[in-house]
Amino acid sequence: DVQLVESGGGLVQPGGSLRLSCAASGFAFSSFAMTWVRQAAGKGLEWVSSINVSGRTIYADSVKGRFTISRDNAKNMVYLELNSLKTEDTAMYYCTKKWGSAYDPPVGSGTQVTVSS
């Protein structure tokens, strides 16, 4: 079974940084694009960023220049570096498989990011 375990969230002040991690298992990780999505309270899922098997990356306009996605195929890990955080970045963050808007529904529990002073 596909397992994706997110970690690294927390409470941070505006302008702060966090690094989210996602541990993947149960599928051929190096053969799949990976994506981060987020869900703010009371809202739907929002695509954030994707990375393909070759390392090509794309970002939502709302996070471009502030967030960086990366992957380590040897460790079956995908990461999301969050910098210059804003209150509107507050959400539950999930990693999932596939590219861009074609991502699979999240299966993990997510990791909560709260940006507040």
Side-chain angles (χ1 to χ4, degrees), residues 24-83:
S25 62
F27 65 101
F29 177 79
S30 61
S31 298
F32 283 87
M34 296 297 294
T35 283
W36 284 93
V37 298
R38 65 187 180 185
Q39 186 168 28
K43 297 188 177 181
L45 287 170
E46 176 190 13
W47 171 78
V48 175
S49 180
S50 297
I51 185 167
N52 74 1
V53 297
S54 301
R56 180 192 169 203
T57 59
I58 50 173
Y59 298 91
D61 287 344
S62 59
V63 307
K64 199 173 295 182
R66 300 188 298 120
F67 292 8
T68 303
I69 190 172
S70 61
R71 67 189 296 161
D72 185 336
N73 289 339
K75 296 181 179 179
N76 284 10
M77 296 289 293
V78 61
Y79 305 99
L80 188 67
E81 189 82 27
L82 287 63
N83 296 309

